[in-house]
Amino acid sequence: MKRIGVLTSGGDAPGMNAAIRAVVRKGIFHNLEVFGIYQGYTGLINGHIEKLELGSVGDIVHRGGTILRSARCPEFKTPEGQQKGVEQLRKHGIDGLVVIGGDGSYRGAKALTELGFPCIGVPGTIDNDIPGTEFTIGFDTALNTVIDAIDKIRDTASSHERTFIIEVMGRDAGDLALWAGLAGGAETIVIPEEPFNMDEIIERLKNGQKRDKKHSIIVVAEGVMSGTEFAKLIQKECDIEVRVSVLGHIQRGGSPTATDRVLASRLGARAVELLIEGKGGRAVGIEKNQLVDYDIIEALGRKHQLDLNMYKLSKELSI
Ligand code: F6P
């Protein structure tokens, strides 16, 4: 292994820059040449590839977004696109690739692995939905962004005695909504992993009103339905004043938390070690604060498990 590449793909996540920095510096520390591939798989297909030096990743550990930029690339889902990608890697003399991203990015890495090119997946997504790791890079920062928003919304909700529905990202996973709802003291959390019962939600709102609680926060994961749709369902059942806040892409931005920076540094560096050890086709993760790695092809067949005990707890705490 003499030359390695690194790319970020799919939805960006705070901490991706810290992961790029770790890949570049760890690679150079081990006398490798490291190449940055810009705009994810799109840049790979188009050969937008440049050598990165120690200084290329200076002053980025604290920045959100990704200096390599990111893209969603439908062409890379085709065998022709994947073949073009492998040709570009070979043309640049790159022997191994680190892919930082979510499940779509992992599918690209899986395809390259199946074509015989050594790839390592590093989980970078605010959704926390990658199997084989308890946490993904960006989740902690996004969680803190959502909590900050909930705290602010709570102020105005209590002043106006309103019920707020806060729509949170996460694609098909409820992690962000569940963690933010629990940390933000939401009365109700609606996630795709568990069916919701509207009668029970209304009952909880009414019980709150009976004990003179005039405002409430309902966190709805986007994977269930939009906040607006959920508001309509509630208003069909009871006559309360409701407002909807869709947090949107602010959840993807901002300076990464210390937790995300450390996680990104550890995972990025481990990915390089695996390539040096000649172990392609793996994904790295964190379990019980220990670094782990596992077969990327097998991992994509598994499903990420949300901690349902936390969901149960959130219900117990919001009686
Ligand atoms: O995967 C990250 C994510 O932010 C999801 O939470 C969300 O569903 C999606 O990406 C939004 O994608 P886009 O930025 O392409 O609209």
Side-chain angles (χ1 to χ4, degrees), residues 161 206-215:
E161 303 185 354
K206 288 191 175 151
N207 283 344
Q209 283 169 344
K210 269 188 221 146
R211 59 182 173 90
D212 220 23
K213 183 172 172 0
K214 298 206 166 49
H215 70 278

Side-chain angles (χ1 to χ4, degrees), residues 11-12 72 125-127 129 169-172 222 249 252:
D12 61 347
R72 302 197 191 276
T125 165
I126 64 163
D127 300 336
D129 60 349
M169 276 187 172
R171 202 179 287 279
D172 300 323
E222 65 171 356
H249 285 79
R252 288 235 297 260

Side-chain angles (χ1 to χ4, degrees), residues 24 26 44 48 72 78 111 139 141 149-150 154 163 244 261:
V24 172
K26 181 80 174 173
L44 179 59
H48 191 172
R72 302 197 191 276
T78 67
F139 174 67
T141 309
I150 293 179
R154 181 180 289 282
T163 293
V244 178
R261 295 181 203 190

Side-chain angles (χ1 to χ4, degrees), residues 117-193:
F117 196 88
C119 277
I120 307 291
V122 174
T125 165
I126 64 163
D127 300 336
N128 209 43
D129 60 349
I130 304 290
T133 186
E134 279 168 7
F135 296 106
T136 57
I137 298 164
F139 174 67
D140 186 66
T141 309
L143 174 59
N144 280 286
T145 302
V146 177
I147 291 167
D148 186 48
I150 293 179
D151 291 349
K152 287 176 173 149
I153 288 169
R154 181 180 289 282
D155 289 344
T156 177
S158 73
S159 306
H160 287 266
E161 303 185 354
R162 283 170 173 159
T163 293
F164 265 83
I165 293 162
I166 304 177
E167 182 191 314
V168 169
M169 276 187 172
R171 202 179 287 279
D172 300 323
D175 290 56
L176 199 49
L178 176 57
W179 283 65
L182 187 54
E187 278 70 30
T188 297
I189 304 171
V190 188
I191 53 172
E193 290 81 355

